[in-house]
């Protein structure tokens, strides 16, 4: 167990599946100690970053290049990884390390969960979005032509190393994309993070996520709040062929969630306006992209995993954010029209 400063250490308390998320500069250098702690004999690093960013492992290592991006988040990629693990002779006594954005940690996490019915995995998320959300909480998955994240399992990592050195290498658009998940924290109990230093924003987001995941690991209730803004967000990603990035789409989905909650009388206009202020304040988009068809979005939102009972959204209200089912389509269409 690593607790020494200057790193921030956040516990994800899940009993025998408990682990730590370690945040700070150069924390990737903790990898050899973590792998030794797991007793791993060999390791496969699947990395979407240049090889010079790979931390040493102290073990015989197979390096497999990966590509970030929703297009590569497929069962075909999982099959390719499993085949490479097998050719390397990876066993359940070894470990897998993912290094990349959220699409890479999701896909590699699924490959680790399925290979030999489960190999330990450590995530080294390299984008802001992956550090504050995707790499923490054990959701793994890939996309199908029919939709995003439709196939996956829960497979908790053994540790997550959020090395902030990686963030300095991000293009501006990718850095702002990460704020989509930080912005939604404002409305699900994370408080106002806008004026904090970046490391504190990451720590606050991960701390919030860890507490939600600890209370509801398998998305039976409370964990839905983490999907604030995501029902429309996922539909927008699909409708734009993933031209809109996840955090950007969630940002628009967050503004929409505020307006929809107001239209349903759950919150006042001032709170809906706060959604717009927060999202805009992080430099994120707030309106639907040109050319997106609202009825097509509704069709996609009906396929959302949460939508077991009509159009379903996580919405703010007098008791905070909660799942709201069977929202009338006419209201959804009217609020979408406001965001054109
Ligand atoms: N990204 C939402 C969750 O992990 O539940």
């Amino acid at each position: 167990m690593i607790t020494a400063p200057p790193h921030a250490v956040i516990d994800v308390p899940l009993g025998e599946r408990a682990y730590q998320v370690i945040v700070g500069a150069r924390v990737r250098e903790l990898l050899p100690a973590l792998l030794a702690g797991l007793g791993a004999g060999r390791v496969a690093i699947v990395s979407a970053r240049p090889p010079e960013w790979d931390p040493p492992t102290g073990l015989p290592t197979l390096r497999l290049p990966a590509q970030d991006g929703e297009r590569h988040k497929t069962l075909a990629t999982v099959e390719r990884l499993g085949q490479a693990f097998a050719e390397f002779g990876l066993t359940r006594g070894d470990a897998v390390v993912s290094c990349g954005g959220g699409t890479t940690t999701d896909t590699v996490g699924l490959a680790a969960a399925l290979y030999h019915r489960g190999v330990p995995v450590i995530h080294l998320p390299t984008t802001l979005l992956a550090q504050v959300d995707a790499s923490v909480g054990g959701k793994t998955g890939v996309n199908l032509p029919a939709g995003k994240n439709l196939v996956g399992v829960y497979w908790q990592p053994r540790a997550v190393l959020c090395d902030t050195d990686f963030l300095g290498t991000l293009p501006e658009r990718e850095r702002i994309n990460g704020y989509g998940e930080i912005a939604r924290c404002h409305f699900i109990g994370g408080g106002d993070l806008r004026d904090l230093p970046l490391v504190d924003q990451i720590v606050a987001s991960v701390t919030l996520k860890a507490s939600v995941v600890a209370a509801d690991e398998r998305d039976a209730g409370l964990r839905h709040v983490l999907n604030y803004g995501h029902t429309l967000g996922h539909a927008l990603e699909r409708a734009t062929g993933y031209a809109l990035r996840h955090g950007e789409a969630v940002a628009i989905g967050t503004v929409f969630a505020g307006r929809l909650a107001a239209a349903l009388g759950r919150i006042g206009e001032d709170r809906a306006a706060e959604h717009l202020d927060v999202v805009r304040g992080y430099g994120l988009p707030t309106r639907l992209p040109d050319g997106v068809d609202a009825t097509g979005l509704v069709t996609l939102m009906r396929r959302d995993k949460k939508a077991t009972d009509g159009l379903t959204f996580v919405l703010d209200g007098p008791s905070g954010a909660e799942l709201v089912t069977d929202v009338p389509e006419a209201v959804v269409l009217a609020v979408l029209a406001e965001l054109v």
Side-chain angles (χ1 to χ4, degrees), residues 102-141:
T103 52
T104 294
T105 60
D106 279 2
T107 310
V108 177
L110 181 59
L114 296 180
Y115 182 74
H116 286 200
R117 300 196 181 88
V119 183
V121 64
I122 294 175
H123 295 310
L124 263 75
T126 61
T127 63
L128 183 57
L129 189 118
Q131 294 195 356
V132 299
D133 184 56
S135 63
V136 179
K139 279 190 183 175
T140 72

Side-chain angles (χ1 to χ4, degrees), residues 173 236-237 240-245 248:
R173 185 174 173 196
L236 281 170
E237 285 181 270
T240 61
Y242 298 106
L244 207 57
R245 305 220 175 148
E248 296 167 341

Side-chain angles (χ1 to χ4, degrees), residues 49 57 85 96 165 191 199 209 258 337:
R49 293 292 169 271
T57 64
F85 297 163
V96 170
D165 287 349
V199 171
K209 180 151 191 183

Side-chain angles (χ1 to χ4, degrees), residues 19-310:
Y19 57 97
Q20 295 185 321
V21 181
I22 305 173
V23 183
R26 298 177 61 170
V27 297
R28 65 191 183 283
E29 293 170 7
L30 300 173
L31 186 61
L34 287 166
L35 289 167
L38 294 179
R42 281 182 294 182
V43 61
I45 295 193
V46 186
S47 177
R49 293 292 169 271
E52 56 271 24
W53 278 95
D54 284 358
T57 64
L59 296 173
T61 299
L62 170 71
R63 186 179 193 281
L64 294 168
Q67 276 182 285
D68 280 338
E70 297 291 343
R71 275 191 313 118
H72 305 284
K73 199 172 131 172
T74 61
L75 283 169
T77 304
V78 172
E79 180 179 0
R80 183 177 61 76
L81 292 174
Q83 180 69 22
F85 297 163
E87 286 167 7
F88 181 58
L90 202 78
T91 73
R92 266 187 279 185
D94 299 322
V96 170
V97 173
S98 77
C99 180
T103 52
T104 294
T105 60
D106 279 2
T107 310
V108 177
L110 181 59
L114 296 180
Y115 182 74
H116 286 200
R117 300 196 181 88
V119 183
V121 64
I122 294 175
H123 295 310
L124 263 75
T126 61
T127 63
L128 183 57
L129 189 118
Q131 294 195 356
V132 299
D133 184 56
S135 63
V136 179
K139 279 190 183 175
T140 72
V142 293
N143 304 328
L144 295 181
K148 197 175 145 79
N149 295 339
L150 293 187
V151 176
V153 300
Y154 294 92
W155 186 244
Q156 297 296 344
R158 303 298 280 268
V160 179
L161 298 174
C162 296
D163 191 320
T164 51
D165 287 349
F166 282 113
L167 304 182
T169 69
L170 296 180
E172 180 69 354
R173 185 174 173 196
E174 185 52 54
R175 192 182 63 77
I176 291 177
N177 182 45
Y179 280 105
E181 296 288 9
I182 294 176
R184 65 92 161 88
C185 289
H186 191 105
F187 303 100
I188 60 172
D192 191 345
L193 308 181
R194 282 176 284 187
D195 293 329
L196 297 182
L198 179 60
V199 171
D200 295 352
Q201 290 173 327
I202 297 169
V203 169
S205 303
V206 171
T207 302
L208 173 66
K209 180 151 191 183
S211 69
V212 172
V213 169
D216 177 22
E217 183 184 6
R218 298 226 159 198
D219 228 346
L222 177 67
R223 188 165 177 166
H224 293 320
V225 299
L226 296 173
N227 273 326
Y228 201 79
H230 282 59
T231 309
L232 178 61
H234 284 160
L236 281 170
E237 285 181 270
R238 285 265 294 129
T240 61
Y242 298 106
L244 207 57
R245 305 220 175 148
H246 180 66
E248 296 167 341
V250 167
I252 299 165
T254 297
V255 175
F256 168 80
R259 293 245 44 93
L260 183 61
L264 294 171
R266 297 176 53 83
I267 59 172
E269 279 299 321
D270 51 343
R271 181 70 168 165
E274 194 175 333
H275 285 67
L276 185 61
D277 278 356
V278 169
V279 169
R280 188 184 277 149
Y282 284 117
L284 286 155
T286 59
R287 308 192 76 78
L288 297 182
D290 289 342
V292 173
D293 168 48
T295 46
L297 290 175
V298 169
T299 302
L300 289 168
M301 289 192 283
R302 286 194 184 282
R303 282 194 210 140
D304 188 276
K305 288 194 290 306
K306 297 182 293 303
T308 51
D309 197 6

